[in-house]
Amino acid sequence: MAGKNAENVYSEALKRGVWQENPVFVQVLGLCPTLAVSNSVKNALAMSLAVLFVLVCSNVLVSLVRKIVVREVRIAIFILIIATFGTVVDYIIQAVSVPLYKAMGLFISLIVVNCIILGRAEAFASRNTVFRSMLDGVGMACGFSLALLALGTVREVLGAGTFLGFHLFGSNYEPWVIFLLPSGGFFTLATWLLVFAWWKERSNRRREQEAAKS
């Protein structure tokens, strides 16, 4: 019975982060890094891992200290916690790949003020247990990663004719360079928002029809 309850908690956290409350496709949050680094799958993967690390670690630490933090200074404490883990990620990326750091270094620093991470710290981690806060961080990071990879795949494949740097269409392919530009990012995001909203509406309608039949 306990195992089943734990499984329900896992699935609910993932379902909430990826589907019901997807940070990008439902809440439309964190658009600055989403649009800025999604011009390639490699950058999207790197930002996804960075946000996963910072979001999970900050959620866990906020949950641990939530009962001893004075309410009046809680936001400042949350920002300090997030900034600490953001700095760790910043140094890790510098150590792993200098070109990658140059491509997205500014936006790694902006993780500190990412409304997704600060919002989860305030709305969830500061009011729930460590375990639930960790799962919430994983779920929301998965939802953010899904959005980044969806945008990054479309923009890199159409804009450069590659996927993770590997050429897909041969030398005769004429890249749609507009997809690598900011305007292409907005267009791709708008398209994915429409697709996600349509799919969610379709799923809700099907669920209502099945409930009516039963």
Side-chain angles (χ1 to χ4, degrees):
M1 190 70 178
K4 185 176 291 187
N5 290 337
E7 185 177 335
N8 290 337
V9 172
Y10 297 142
S11 61
E12 181 61 30
L14 285 174
K15 184 178 179 182
R16 183 173 62 247
V18 173
W19 181 250
Q20 296 173 338
E21 300 178 18
N22 186 284
V24 176
F25 291 148
V26 176
Q27 301 184 65
V28 198
L29 298 175
L31 296 188
C32 179
T34 299
L35 293 171
V37 305
S38 62
N39 57 347
S40 73
V41 177
K42 181 180 178 181
N43 288 352
L45 279 171
M47 179 58 77
S48 298
L49 292 175
V51 169
L52 172 65
F53 176 80
V54 175
L55 184 52
V56 172
C57 291
S58 60
N59 265 17
V60 168
L61 190 52
V62 166
S63 181
L64 282 171
V65 303
R66 72 186 192 280
K67 293 182 179 179
I68 61 175
V69 172
V70 179
R71 183 172 180 81
E72 288 74 14
V73 298
R74 71 189 187 286
I75 298 299
I77 297 297
F78 296 166
I79 292 176
L80 180 61
I81 290 172
I82 295 168
T84 300
F85 291 116
T87 302
V88 171
V89 167
D90 187 69
Y91 284 130
I92 289 174
I93 292 180
Q94 286 188 60
V96 171
S97 174
V98 173
L100 181 62
Y101 176 76
K102 289 181 178 178
M104 52 187 300
L106 172 63
F107 301 100
I108 293 296
S109 301
L110 289 177
I111 286 179
V112 176
V113 291
N114 191 317
C115 48
I116 299 172
I117 299 175
L118 185 58
R120 298 320 295 177
E122 167 65 14
F124 196 92
S126 63
R127 305 174 187 181
N128 287 274
T129 63
V130 172
F131 180 66
R132 286 186 174 275
S133 298
M134 181 187 68
L135 290 181
D136 179 76
V138 172
M140 288 295 163
C142 286
F144 183 70
S145 301
L146 171 68
L148 271 182
L149 292 174
L151 269 71
T153 299
V154 171
R155 294 181 68 187
E156 182 178 350
V157 169
L158 296 180
T162 62
F163 182 81
L164 284 174
F166 295 99
H167 291 278
L168 301 177
F169 306 117
S171 58
N172 293 327
Y173 177 72
E174 188 65 34
W176 297 11
V177 182
I178 189 174
F179 281 95
L180 301 180
L181 302 177
S183 55
F186 280 105
F187 178 77
T188 307
L189 175 62
T191 303
W192 273 117
L193 286 173
L194 287 172
V195 170
F196 199 85
W198 170 80
W199 186 263
K200 192 171 183 179
E201 179 64 25
R202 182 171 177 267
S203 299
N204 291 338
R205 193 181 304 116
R206 181 181 297 175
R207 195 179 301 113
E208 290 174 358
Q209 290 174 351
E210 291 175 355
K213 290 180 181 179
S214 61

